[in-house]
């Protein structure tokens, strides 16, 4: 069984700052790093480090073979990553002393996916495979339509949130993964509890993962309403926490763990991730998560 992740690949420019830059302000950063990132790449790396078979479908600039090499080295299948003359996507990330971030995103090559690439990847799917999507690439509606035709379940993490697109796709996906703010935006609710109730009422047959930051995560599907609290750690950088959670949850689900076991494992992976600086480099391995859980 494999996950076909149609996802973004970015070069993250990470600046540690005393505070977020204000309008008109010029400020020196405390440090700078350039790292592999993008929600898609992060989730593929998390899947691979969790032990899953993951095939990444995306695009980078022709000169960025180092990106392909880095994904290969962590166990991601890169056969479906195309090369283009469009610059590789990138992000400008400010990270303050409270471990909060502010991000400017340039899509670049992430918006150069085409029907031929999608069709080529989905020709290989078999029963038991999953399709994973975020909202940092183009062709999302086409990918979902093709996956539906092949009866392949779709997990959608609609970040950055586009309410209209997400609502349009809700009847065609199997697992929706949103944070608390995205959940509230999706159903125009003013509280997390109201969002939970509205989602359960409006989409009773859809599996929904609602991540709640430092509080934990909630899984909703039919009569199921499962809450798992977050592990208590001292965060340094939360940039890839959600992506790490998604990768480890899907990997656990495909290994036939129960929903609660998968949620607990994913929360543990996120807890390890936030104690480290950066995106992809902060994502733990399966062994590190095992060790963290034993120590709890």
């Amino acid at each position: 069984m494999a996950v076909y992740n149609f996802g973004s690949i970015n070069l993250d420019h990470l600046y540690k700052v005393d505070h977020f830059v204000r309008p008109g302000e010029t400020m020196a950063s405390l440090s700078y790093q350039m790292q592999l990132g993008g929600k898609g790449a992060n989730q593929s790396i998390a899947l691979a480090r969790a032990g899953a078979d993951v095939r990444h479908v995306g695009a980078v600039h022709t000169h960025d073979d180092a990106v392909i090499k880095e994904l290969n080295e962590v166990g991601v299948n890169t056969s479906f990553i195309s090369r283009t003359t469009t610059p590789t996507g990138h992000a400008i990330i400010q990270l303050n002393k409270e471990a909060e971030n502010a991000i400017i995103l340039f899509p670049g090559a992430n918006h150069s996916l085409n029907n031929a690439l999608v069709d080529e990847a989905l020709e290989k799917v078999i029963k038991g495979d999953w399709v994973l999507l975020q909202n940092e690439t183009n062709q999302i509606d086409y990918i979902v339509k093709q996956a539906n035709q092949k009866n392949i379940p779709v997990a959608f993490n609609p970040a950055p949130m586009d309410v209209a697109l997400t609502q349009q796709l809700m009847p065609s996906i199997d697992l929706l993964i949103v944070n608390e703010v995205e959940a509230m935006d999706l159903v125009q609710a003013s509280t997390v509890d109201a969002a939970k109730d509205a989602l359960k009422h409006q989409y009773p047959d859809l599996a929904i993962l609602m991540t709640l930051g430092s509080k934990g995560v909630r899984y909703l599907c039919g009569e199921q309403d499962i809450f798992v609290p977050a592990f208590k750690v001292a965060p340094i950088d939360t940039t890839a926490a959600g992506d790490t959670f998604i990768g480890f949850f899907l990997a656990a689900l495909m290994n036939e763990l129960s929903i609660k076991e998968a949620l607990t494992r994913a929360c543990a992976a996120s807890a390890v991730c936030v104690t480290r600086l950066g995106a992809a480099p902060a994502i733990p391995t399966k062994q590190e998560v095992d060790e963290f859980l034993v120590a709890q």
Side-chain angles (χ1 to χ4, degrees), residues 10-14 32-38 42 89-93 105 239 278-280:
N10 288 336
L11 295 172
D12 285 351
H13 300 268
L14 175 63
Y32 164 77
Q33 295 180 37
M34 186 175 75
Q35 300 171 338
L36 176 61
N42 291 341
H90 68 257
I92 306 297
I93 303 171
L105 186 65
T239 303

Side-chain angles (χ1 to χ4, degrees), residues 179-197:
N179 63 31
E180 53 196 330
V181 174
E182 292 161 347
M184 289 189 288
D185 288 347
L186 191 57
V187 292
Q188 298 183 331
S190 57
T191 67
V192 175
D193 285 342
K196 182 196 78 169
D197 292 341

Side-chain angles (χ1 to χ4, degrees), residues 46-128:
L47 280 157
R49 289 186 174 158
D53 179 357
V54 54
R55 290 94 188 271
H56 193 100
V57 189
V60 297
H61 188 269
T62 52
H63 292 162
D64 284 329
D65 283 342
V67 172
I68 308 296
K69 181 181 178 184
E70 187 169 347
L71 288 169
N72 279 330
E73 285 175 348
V74 297
V76 176
N77 183 312
T78 59
S79 302
F80 302 111
I81 297 178
S82 67
R83 274 71 162 179
T84 174
T85 56
T86 304
T88 298
H90 68 257
I92 306 297
I93 303 171
Q94 298 179 66
L95 178 67
N96 69 14
K97 291 180 177 179
E98 288 72 43
E100 300 169 323
N101 57 56
I103 302 172
I104 299 172
L105 186 65
F106 170 68
N110 295 317
H111 280 197
S112 66
L113 274 62
N114 55 49
N115 291 3
L117 179 63
V118 174
D119 293 343
E120 180 188 359
L122 290 180
E123 281 179 7
K124 310 293 184 182
V125 297
I126 60 173
K127 185 177 180 181

